[in-house]
Amino acid sequence: MERAMVVGLVIVLSVLVHSDAAGEECFDVRQHISTVTRYGVVKDVADNSFVASEIPNGCTPIHLNLVSRHGTRSPTKKRIRELDNLAAHLELLLKDAEEQKLSLQKIPTWLRNWKSPWKGKVKGGELISKGEDELYDLGTRIREKFSDLFNDEYHPDVYTMKATQVPRASASAVAFGMGLFSGRGSLGPGHHRAFAVSTESRASDIFLRFHDCCENYKDFRKRQEPFVHKLKEPFFDEITSALVRRYELNFTRQDTSSLWFLCKQEASLLDITDQACGLFSPSEVALLEWTDDLEVFILKGYGKSLNYRMGVPLLEDVVQSMEQAIQAKEENHPPGSYEKARLRFAHAETVVPFSCLLGLFLEKSEFQQIQREQPLQLPPKPPQKRKWRGSTVAPFAGNNMLVLYSCPSNANTSSNYFVQVLHNEHPIPMPGCDGSDFCPFEDFKERIVAPHLKHDYDTVCNANVETEVQMPATTTTSSSF
C-alpha cells in the first residue's frame, strides 16, 4: 500500500515538473516586456474569447483614422548612461567576489567582462531598422486591407499624415508612407513617391503631445512618480534577494532594475533572451512586467482621469474627420476632393490615453465607473489574469484604427454609418457599444465620445486644481495586490 502511494507520488511530481518545464519552454520573454515589446511579437496575440463582427454586405469603408506609436527605437541617452553604470557596478561586484575568494561558478559566463552594446554612443532614442520595418509593413497591410480607401491619386488633403516633432515619430510616419504608397510613384527602382508629413511645435501640440502641454498633468506626474516607485520597491527587493541567493553576488535594487531594463532592450532590439533575461525565472519576469504595467496604468492610463481627459482634443479631431467624411458622402463630393484617411504617428503617451478614451481593455462595469469618474482597481498581480498589459496596449508601433463605414438602409437600424475599432489591426470590443467592435456612429458619439466632451482641455490642464493626488482604488501595501 505504502509502495503504491510512493509510486503514485513520484508520478504526480514528475508530471508537475514536466508541466513546469514545458511551461517554461513555451514562455517567450519577448511577449512579457510591457511597452518595450516589438510589434510583430504581439500583434496577433488577441483575445480568443472575442468574436469580431461580420461587416454587413453592402457596407464600404469611407474614412480611416490611425493613431500609431512610433516603431522600435534605441535606448535614450539617459538609459545608455544607466547601462554604462551597470557595467561598472557589475565589474566591482565581480572584483569583490574574487577578492573574497568566493566561488564564481554560479555566475553566467556572459556577465563577466560584460559591456553595454550601446557603449560609446552619445545619442539615442532614434528609430532603428526593425522599427522602420514595423511601420513600412503596417502601411503595406493597411493599403491591402482597405484598398478602396487608398485607390485615389495622392494628395496631402486626401491622405493627411501628421507626426510629433520627435524624430522617431516623424521617421515612423515616413516609413509607413513608403509602405502605403510604394509603387505609386516614379522615384527609384521601388517607384516611390514623395508625400507630406506635417508636425506641430512640441510646445503647442495638444493633439499628439498633449502630455507636454498640460501643466496639471506634468504636476501630477511629478508628484505621483515617487509613489509609483515606492509601490514597486517590495517586488524589486524580493527579486533582488532571489538573485543574490542564486548567483551569490551582492546585487542592489538598482542593479535589478537596470538588469530588467537590459533584458527588455536585449530581447526587443537584439533578439537576445538568454543573457539578462536568463537571470530571471518566468515568474519573476511576469512580476517585473506587471510592475511596468502598473506604472503605465497609473501614470498614463486609467489610474487617473486626467491622464486621458487631456487627450480629448485628439478624440474631437477623430470625430470631426468622420463627420466631414459623412458630409462628403451625403453631398456626393467627387473623388479626390475630400479626406479619406487621417494618419497620426506619436508615442505611448498618446496611444495609451486615446485607448482609454475609447474605453478599451475594460469590463462594462469598469467602463461605467470611468464614465462616473470613479477610480479603478489596479491591474491584479500575477498569476491572476488581467486585460491591462503594456505589451498589447502600447507595444512599439501599437495602434488604434477607427474605420468609418457607409451601409445601405436597414430596417433593423436607423443608422447608415458605423465605426469599427481595431487595436493592433484586430477588431476589439468597446464596452460603450455593448461589447461590439462595430458601432452605429451616432451611438459611438453619444455613448463613448459625448461624456468626455464636458471636459475642456484648458480647464482640465491649466485650471487651478487641488494638489491632492487622486489614487487608484487600492492601498499601497504589497499585500493588497
Side-chain angles (χ1 to χ4, degrees):
M1 181 70 174
E2 288 182 2
R3 185 175 182 278
M5 288 178 66
V6 169
V7 171
L9 183 59
V10 168
I11 291 172
V12 169
L13 287 173
S14 67
V15 169
L16 287 173
V17 169
H18 178 76
S19 64
D20 281 350
E24 293 198 12
E25 280 178 20
C26 66
F27 183 87
D28 186 351
V29 70
R30 297 175 308 155
Q31 295 180 351
H32 296 275
I33 49 179
S34 197
T35 56
V36 188
T37 304
R38 216 162 63 227
Y39 188 60
V41 176
V42 290
K43 88 174 182 66
D44 293 326
V45 177
D47 181 1
N48 294 327
S49 64
F50 175 66
V51 180
S53 302
E54 280 194 29
I55 306 300
N57 287 334
C59 293
T60 56
I62 62 170
H63 191 273
L64 183 146
N65 272 283
L66 172 70
V67 179
S68 176
R69 187 186 178 195
H70 59 76
T72 300
R73 62 164 167 83
S74 70
T76 60
K77 284 191 293 185
K78 180 181 176 182
R79 291 299 209 166
I80 289 171
R81 287 196 299 271
E82 179 182 340
L83 292 176
D84 287 340
N85 292 338
L86 172 66
H89 194 240
L90 289 176
E91 189 176 340
L92 276 177
L93 289 179
L94 287 163
K95 186 178 178 183
D96 286 348
E98 287 172 353
E99 287 177 355
Q100 295 176 43
K101 295 186 168 42
L102 297 176
S103 171
L104 302 181
Q105 288 183 340
K106 293 184 178 180
I107 299 169
T109 306
W110 71 268
L111 205 58
R112 304 169 196 182
N113 302 316
W114 176 82
K115 300 296 179 190
S116 167
W118 297 275
K119 181 179 173 57
K121 282 195 66 175
V122 294
K123 294 187 180 295
E126 77 279 7
L127 190 72
I128 65 170
S129 59
K130 285 183 172 71
E132 293 176 3
D133 290 342
E134 288 165 342
L135 272 298
Y136 181 89
D137 292 343
L138 178 62
T140 303
R141 288 192 301 271
I142 286 178
R143 185 176 78 177
E144 290 173 356
K145 185 176 178 67
F146 300 104
S147 55
D148 289 346
L149 276 179
F150 295 98
N151 57 8
D152 279 10
E153 184 73 22
Y154 171 77
H155 190 279
D157 293 338
V158 177
Y159 302 113
T160 307
M161 298 183 69
K162 300 183 178 187
T164 71
Q165 276 197 326
V166 179
R168 57 180 169 269
S170 51
S172 294
V174 171
F176 177 92
M178 290 180 71
L180 186 67
F181 302 120
S182 62
R184 297 287 182 88
S186 57
L187 297 175
H191 298 285
H192 294 292
R193 64 149 303 121
F195 51 87
V197 178
S198 62
T199 63
E200 188 82 34
S201 166
R202 289 195 200 192
S204 58
D205 188 353
I206 64 171
F207 295 104
L208 296 180
R209 283 192 72 84
F210 36 78
H211 54 282
D212 259 358
C213 310
C214 185
E215 293 304 319
N216 285 339
Y217 174 72
K218 288 192 282 189
D219 181 56
F220 157 76
R221 182 155 181 163
K222 183 179 178 181
R223 288 181 289 111
Q224 187 75 330
E225 281 177 341
F227 160 75
V228 174
H229 293 149
K230 202 75 179 168
L231 198 65
K232 295 164 68 169
E233 278 180 8
F235 307 105
F236 274 84
D237 287 345
E238 177 187 327
I239 292 171
T240 301
S241 297
L243 293 180
V244 170
R245 289 192 302 271
R246 193 176 300 147
Y247 302 109
E248 297 181 354
L249 285 177
N250 289 321
F251 292 118
T252 64
R253 184 196 300 149
Q254 180 58 54
D255 292 330
T256 301
S257 177
S258 297
L259 286 166
W260 171 234
F261 175 73
L262 175 61
C263 161
K264 292 184 288 188
Q265 298 301 306
E266 287 184 338
S268 185
L269 279 65
L270 307 175
D271 277 317
I272 296 172
T273 59
D274 59 355
Q275 290 193 170
C277 294
L279 296 175
F280 305 104
S281 69
S283 62
E284 289 166 347
V285 167
L287 193 60
L288 291 165
E289 175 195 20
W290 171 73
T291 64
D292 283 354
D293 291 351
L294 277 188
E295 185 168 337
V296 175
F297 184 90
I298 294 170
L299 297 181
K300 299 174 188 174
Y302 289 115
K304 184 174 174 66
S305 60
L306 172 62
N307 293 346
Y308 48 91
R309 297 288 190 215
M310 64 178 172
V312 164
L314 172 57
L315 183 64
E316 289 179 307
D317 187 58
V318 167
V319 171
Q320 180 195 56
S321 70
M322 290 193 275
E323 289 176 332
Q324 290 171 348
I326 290 171
Q327 182 181 357
K329 174 74 173 174
E330 295 288 318
E331 296 175 359
N332 292 314
H333 292 189
S337 67
Y338 59 92
E339 184 185 80
K340 296 182 80 172
R342 197 169 292 188
L343 310 161
R344 307 168 185 82
F345 303 87
H347 310 271
E349 290 86 351
T350 317
V351 173
V352 173
F354 185 64
S355 297
C356 293
L357 287 168
L358 299 177
L360 306 185
F361 308 104
L362 292 179
E363 304 292 349
K364 186 164 186 178
S365 61
E366 292 175 317
F367 179 73
Q368 292 165 346
Q369 275 182 263
I370 67 161
Q371 298 257 299
R372 295 192 297 267
E373 303 202 21
Q374 296 174 343
L376 300 182
Q377 295 285 343
L378 291 175
K381 179 185 172 186
Q384 298 175 74
K385 291 186 177 180
R386 65 184 187 276
K387 284 191 173 183
W388 186 268
R389 308 186 81 93
S391 58
T392 50
V393 175
F396 287 128
N399 58 83
N400 287 316
M401 278 188 278
L402 289 85
V403 185
L404 180 67
Y405 282 85
S406 171
C407 296
S409 298
N410 188 318
N412 296 326
T413 177
S414 58
S415 181
N416 285 58
Y417 297 97
F418 291 78
V419 180
Q420 186 182 40
V421 175
L422 299 98
H423 181 75
N424 297 343
E425 303 175 66
H426 293 279
I428 187 168
M430 291 180 282
C433 283
D434 300 320
S436 175
D437 59 295
F438 193 69
C439 190
F441 181 56
E442 292 304 320
D443 288 353
F444 176 80
K445 287 201 300 180
E446 179 185 342
R447 298 182 189 179
I448 294 176
V449 178
H452 295 304
L453 298 187
K454 60 187 177 185
H455 300 279
D456 171 73
Y457 180 81
D458 281 335
T459 304
V460 166
C461 286
N462 301 318
N464 289 329
V465 293
E466 293 182 16
T467 57
E468 184 179 349
V469 177
Q470 173 189 318
M471 307 303 291
T474 184
T475 59
T476 60
T477 60
S478 60
S479 60
S480 65
F481 297 101

